[in-house]
Every structure is written in structure tokens, then in C-alpha cells.
Amino acid sequence: MNANKIAHKSSPQMKRIRTMSQIIKALFLIYIFAAGLVAVLFHTTSNLWKIFGISISVVSKIPIGVEFLYALGVVIILWAVVTFYRLLNLYEQGTVFSLANVRLYQLLGYLAMGYGLLDACGLNIGLDFVTHLKIFVFKATSSPWIIGGLFVVMISLIMQEACKMREEQELTV
């Protein structure tokens, strides 16, 4: 292994990054546990469910399309949680600018965009096609999830280019 890489991984800046990653991981796990606990407690004590803006008093009356979108949304959120945790693990290991980080950032961006599209679809169930399409286009173009996801994908592309430049620089004598 290169001596510069070893010195770089033990620098004070890397120690701060590792420490911050550990703190964020701990807070993130506490938040996920607390949010899950609150969701379970709320849904077991409440007689009213609200899914994609639609209030439903009886779970058995939820349309199958809404159930599918809701389940898909839960899968996307869980996938994003696992991806974010993997990214924090890389930072804790001292891997800051690598293609593994780039791939995780891209995945987070795509998951955010997918959740935004799902949210735009879910709100309009039961409307006629033209109205649904108009509302979907408006929601999709103004969704913070989609805009944020595009921004994260753009950052990952910039990081990917930086990784390529670093590799080229390491090869120069």
C-alpha cells in the first residue's frame, strides 16, 4: 500500500470524518428505531390511516393499487436507509472519494427520484386519466424528492469525475 494513503488515513481530518460518521450512524439508528416505534404505536391506537393523502378509516377498505404503492414506498425507504448506512460505513473506514461512494450516492439519488414519482402517482388515485396526468406532471416537476434526487445524482457524477482525475494523477510520474 502507498505510504501517502496510510498517512492520509491517519490524518486529523480523517479522524474527524470517522468520528462524525460514527455519531451520525448512532443518531440515525436511534431515529430509525424511534420512528418505527412511533409508527407502530400510532397505527395500532389510531382508527384512521392516511396513505398518500387519502384518509382511510378501515384498513380492509384500502384499494389494492394504494396498497401496492404504499408497499413499494416502504421498500424504497428501507433500501435508502440501508444505502445511507453503507455510505456512512465507508466514511468510517476512511473511504471518502471512491467509486463505491459514487455508486451509493447515485443509488440514493435514484431512490429519492423514485419515491418522488411514487408520491406523485399515489396522490391522484381515483381521478380520470387527464386530470391524473395533469396533477402528476405538476407534482413530479415540483417534487423536492425528485429535485433533490437529481441534485444527488449530479454530485455523484462530479465525484466520479474527480475519482477518475485522481487515478490519472496517481499514474503520472
Side-chain angles (χ1 to χ4, degrees):
M1 187 174 215
N2 190 338
N4 291 334
K5 287 186 179 182
I6 294 170
H8 175 68
K9 288 197 178 210
S10 64
S11 70
Q13 292 85 2
M14 281 307 300
K15 287 180 183 177
R16 280 195 301 252
I17 290 172
R18 286 183 178 145
T19 303
M20 188 57 73
S21 175
Q22 291 170 346
I23 291 169
I24 292 173
K25 277 174 48 177
L27 292 173
F28 187 64
L29 288 175
I30 291 169
Y31 171 76
I32 294 299
F33 178 74
L37 189 62
V38 167
V40 168
L41 290 176
F42 174 74
H43 286 305
T44 57
T45 60
S46 173
N47 293 332
L48 185 65
W49 287 65
K50 193 165 187 154
I51 301 174
F52 294 116
I54 302 169
S55 297
I56 300 168
S57 59
V58 180
V59 176
S60 62
K61 291 184 181 180
I62 300 173
I64 190 73
V66 175
E67 284 180 352
F68 175 74
L69 289 177
Y70 189 73
L72 191 57
V74 169
V75 168
I76 288 174
I77 289 171
L78 290 176
W79 196 358
V81 164
V82 170
T83 303
F84 183 67
Y85 195 79
R86 288 176 56 204
L87 185 63
L88 290 174
N89 279 336
L90 285 176
Y91 287 143
E92 188 177 347
Q93 295 169 2
T95 307
V96 179
F97 289 105
S98 74
L99 292 179
N101 296 55
V102 170
R103 283 190 288 274
L104 291 175
Y105 271 113
Q106 284 178 339
L107 181 57
L108 281 173
Y110 292 137
L111 289 171
M113 289 188 297
Y115 188 79
L117 289 173
L118 191 66
D119 186 41
C121 285
L123 189 61
N124 315 325
I125 291 179
L127 300 176
D128 65 277
F129 180 74
V130 175
T131 308
H132 177 80
L133 187 62
K134 289 177 184 176
I135 293 173
F136 172 77
V137 169
F138 174 74
K139 291 268 303 167
T141 56
S142 64
S143 170
W145 287 102
I146 295 174
I147 294 168
L150 285 171
F151 184 74
V152 170
V153 169
M154 181 188 71
I155 296 294
S156 73
L157 294 174
I158 293 169
M159 284 179 62
Q160 184 176 24
E161 200 58 37
C163 288
K164 288 178 187 177
M165 291 170 63
R166 187 188 71 202
E167 288 175 6
E168 289 174 5
Q169 185 181 17
E170 288 176 354
L171 294 175
T172 13
V173 178

